[in-house]
Amino acid sequence: MSAVRALVAVVAVSLALVLQVSVFPHFAWDGIVPNLCLLVVVGAALTRGPQFAAVLGFVAGVALDLAPPADHIAGRWALALVVVGYVAGRVRQDVRPTATAVVATVAASSFVGTSVFAISGILLRDPSLSIGELLQVIGVALLWDILLTPFVLPSVMAMFRRLQPDRALA
Amino acid sequence: MARERRWRGSLDDRFRPSPALLVALVLACLTLITLDYRGGSDSPLEPARRAAGEVFGPVEVATAAAVRPFTAVPHWFRSKDSMQDDLMALQAENSRLKGQVNSQDYDRNRLEEYDGLTAAAQSLGYSLVPARVVGLGSSQSFSSTVTIDAGSDAGLRPDLTVVNNDGLVGRVLRVTRTTATVLLIVDSDSVVGGRVGRSMEVGFLHGRGVLGSDGRLDLELVDDTAVPAKHDTVVTWGSQAGGPYVSGVPVGEVTSVYSSLRETSQRAVIRPFVDFGALDLVGVVVPSGTTSERAVIEADGSLG
């Protein structure tokens, strides 16, 4: 069961990555696309808690860092998504999250995730963008992620909930 | 309270992550960052990047091919097939003519200079491998790179020039068997040797890392007494071995000039000819006679 769960999670992350890289650029605003990998990690965090989400965030982040056409210093998205998985997982209470709670969690996660990535870039002197431009990118990415939440999160959360071993308890 | 917690033990455990695991994950991330940062261009992560490319590359190619009919739907509604063909032919011709006009100043100067002739002969001896853009790096990653659907099987290798109908697109960073990663000239890491067509002054073009319609390049001229004029065309300067950029490819036009007191040099802002938000068909400049799995457009326009 655990191997199946891991496989499904990895497939979900890969699908999100390919859609993000090959399909959504057609709808991109100034090259900014919805971060589907982040949405999958948040979905995992809301249903399965921070531990699973942090591991999945690491896997998704490494994939984002290495799959073409990525060229930034590897490990930066991994760090950002581990933080996102942990933070989003801590938000979760034992009740099923309401729609508002899900949207708020996505918004906070998107802000934290893109910011951690941007800050790591500033520390490593990777991009030469001004703070204003960075904030603009973070803001647009946040709007994109919220816009995609109603289409992505319900199915992702249903999927992870179905894979839950102790469904009866939860 | 404590009793309740014990009773729900197994459930709570899942939501209280072990600190050791988190520390391990964060350390793993930091290790990756350090390895890649210290390694530079021959970083120990290059093999991993290549492996990821071999896996995700074909999937990206297939996905892009699958959605292409749908992204073309708006075009189809706008005009019938034949009109569409006419339009594309005219657009291609227009781009070609614009390219000729844009490099006219440069061409004239080049003809006047005797040693330019050899460079011209050299730069005419190149062929193009056609390729399509199948993946675009998101701006959230703050780097402007794309994936194209031609790789080492098509005769590509790192440090080749990538162009399209309008001008210079970028250069190949790394290749897998079926795909290649291209660094766009608007990326903040990109530096291109440029030459102002009218005055033949040389300088360096730096990307600003902004994609889309307001993507701009900064031109820093080597000679600080040379002031480029508005609407001057900038072409690539090109290096001796033809890599990474071949010479004479139109890059963009000057939109404004300002002098920096601190750095005592002239800077010009360049608007690139290529629309980086809508990249699709590109050509990779390869040496003439390269063996490739697909048709190569030779210098004389024939298919090889």
Side-chain angles (χ1 to χ4, degrees), chain A residues 18 21-22 26 30-33 49 51 65 68-74 77 79 86 90 92 94 117 128-129 134, chain B residues 8 15 17-18 22 29 33 36-37 49 60 63 134-141 145-147 173-174 188 208:
Chain A
V18 169
V21 165
S22 289
H26 292 292
D30 260 8
I32 304 168
V33 296
Q51 181 143 337
D65 284 328
D71 187 49
H72 52 267
I73 288 164
W77 271 121
L79 183 64
Y86 177 73
R90 298 297 289 194
R92 194 257 186 211
D94 283 343
F117 185 86
S128 61
L129 290 183
L134 291 181
Chain B
R8 301 191 320 186
F15 297 104
S18 76
L22 268 178
C29 295
I33 294 175
D36 206 23
Y37 186 63
R49 270 190 218 279
E60 284 175 20
T63 312
V134 295
L136 194 72
S138 65
S139 288
Q140 284 105 312
S141 296
T145 48
V146 296
T147 315
L173 276 179
R174 63 180 69 86
S188 49
R208 284 190 179 174

Side-chain angles (χ1 to χ4, degrees), chain A residues 2-3 6 18 35 55 72 83 86 100 103 108-109 111 117 126 144 154:
Chain A
S2 147
V18 169
N35 197 337
V55 175
H72 52 267
V83 173
Y86 177 73
T100 326
V103 170
S109 304
F111 181 78
F117 185 86
D126 206 14
W144 255 131

Side-chain angles (χ1 to χ4, degrees), chain B residues 37-117:
Chain B
Y37 186 63
R38 290 279 164 224
S41 57
D42 42 66
S43 125
L45 285 168
E46 279 305 313
R49 270 190 218 279
R50 194 184 161 111
E54 298 287 3
V55 175
F56 281 102
V59 185
E60 284 175 20
V61 172
T63 312
V67 299
R68 197 163 287 136
F70 299 100
T71 55
V73 164
H75 287 282
W76 194 80
F77 275 115
R78 230 174 282 144
S79 62
K80 289 181 181 167
D81 273 358
S82 58
M83 283 172 74
Q84 185 70 30
D85 286 347
D86 286 353
L87 191 67
M88 279 169 72
L90 287 172
Q91 273 174 346
E93 192 181 356
N94 193 27
S95 295
R96 190 173 55 79
L97 291 173
K98 259 198 277 181
Q100 273 179 11
V101 171
N102 287 333
S103 56
Q104 202 182 29
D105 285 330
Y106 173 70
D107 285 342
R108 202 170 43 224
N109 274 320
R110 196 169 54 176
L111 279 172
E112 282 168 4
E113 290 186 18
Y114 179 72
D115 63 348
L117 282 176

Side-chain angles (χ1 to χ4, degrees), chain B residues 228-253:
Chain B
K230 205 172 171 180
H231 299 308
D232 269 2
T233 298
V234 178
V235 298
T236 53
W237 165 16
S239 53
Q240 206 83 52
Y245 295 105
V246 295
S247 61
V249 181
V251 180
E253 63 172 1

Side-chain angles (χ1 to χ4, degrees), chain B residues 127-128 130 289-304:
Chain B
S127 317
L128 287 180
T290 299
T291 49
S292 171
E293 43 142 34
R294 60 182 74 188
V296 176
I297 304 164
E298 295 293 342
D300 56 2
S302 66
L303 285 177

